[in-house]
Amino acid sequence: MSSPANTVAPAPRWAVRAAHAAALTTVPSGLWRIALGLGLPVGYSDEVLRENFDIPGWGVVYVIGLSVVSEAFALLTLGLVRPWGEVVPRWIPVIGGRRVHPLAAVVPAALGAAALVCIWSGFVFWWSVEETPAMQGPWHTIVGTLYQPLVLWGPLLAAVTVSYYRRHR
């Protein structure tokens, strides 16, 4: 007897690669924010860290938490190409082992992709914006480089979402 996961064609290779790429887009900026939260020299003076970011203080929890949450959401893209995006893993209470309704995955993923495009598309123009006076030395360029992958997160998620929808309709 076939399980619901076996009744759907596997994700195309390009979609699997795009899902993995989407999951990796948050890593560079996340590592920079974690370094910021740990008080490492990432372009801001100690005064700017205290006044603008509340570091040390609650700002540490915020920037590290933002990095962890961002990566967790990015990793959810893998569910659109993996079996756990088709059947809820058994270890999850109450709903474990049940088939995932396609729209339960497609609607949040599509809304997320649209939101990500709106949020991050401005970073395409990072280098046309005046350097932030609070950033010291070459950090404006370094931070721009670390945030550029986020521009791809929304379009990659959108492409993988379309692939998932087509395989499950």
Side-chain angles (χ1 to χ4, degrees):
M1 183 167 161
S2 68
S3 70
N6 295 342
T7 61
V8 176
R13 183 176 292 164
W14 70 263
V16 173
R17 288 181 178 157
H20 283 86
L24 292 172
T25 59
T26 61
V27 172
S29 59
L31 291 174
W32 179 81
R33 280 193 304 272
I34 289 169
L36 177 80
L38 295 175
L40 298 174
V42 291
Y44 291 116
S45 68
D46 289 342
E47 180 183 355
V48 170
L49 288 175
R50 271 191 309 279
E51 292 177 11
N52 294 4
F53 298 100
D54 194 24
I55 295 173
W58 283 104
V60 173
V61 175
Y62 173 74
V63 296
I64 292 176
L66 178 61
S67 296
V68 170
V69 169
S70 296
E71 187 57 36
F73 276 118
L75 286 169
L76 285 176
T77 308
L78 296 175
L80 299 172
V81 297
R82 304 292 300 155
W84 54 269
E86 297 169 359
V87 177
V88 179
R90 293 205 178 278
W91 58 266
I92 295 180
V94 182
I95 61 171
R98 292 188 184 174
R99 182 180 165 275
V100 174
H101 190 283
L103 290 181
V106 170
V107 171
L111 292 173
L116 290 168
V117 167
C118 292
I119 291 167
W120 297 116
S121 61
F123 274 84
V124 169
F125 306 106
W126 176 263
W127 287 279
S128 65
V129 177
E130 270 188 50
E131 290 190 21
T132 307
M135 282 198 170
Q136 302 167 342
W139 283 99
H140 179 78
T141 301
I142 293 168
V143 171
T145 302
L146 295 174
Y147 272 76
Q148 283 300 301
L150 292 171
V151 173
L152 299 174
W153 187 8
L156 287 168
L157 175 57
V160 176
T161 302
V162 169
S163 173
Y164 182 91
Y165 175 75
R166 286 181 176 165
R167 289 184 301 117
H168 290 83
R169 58 182 163 154

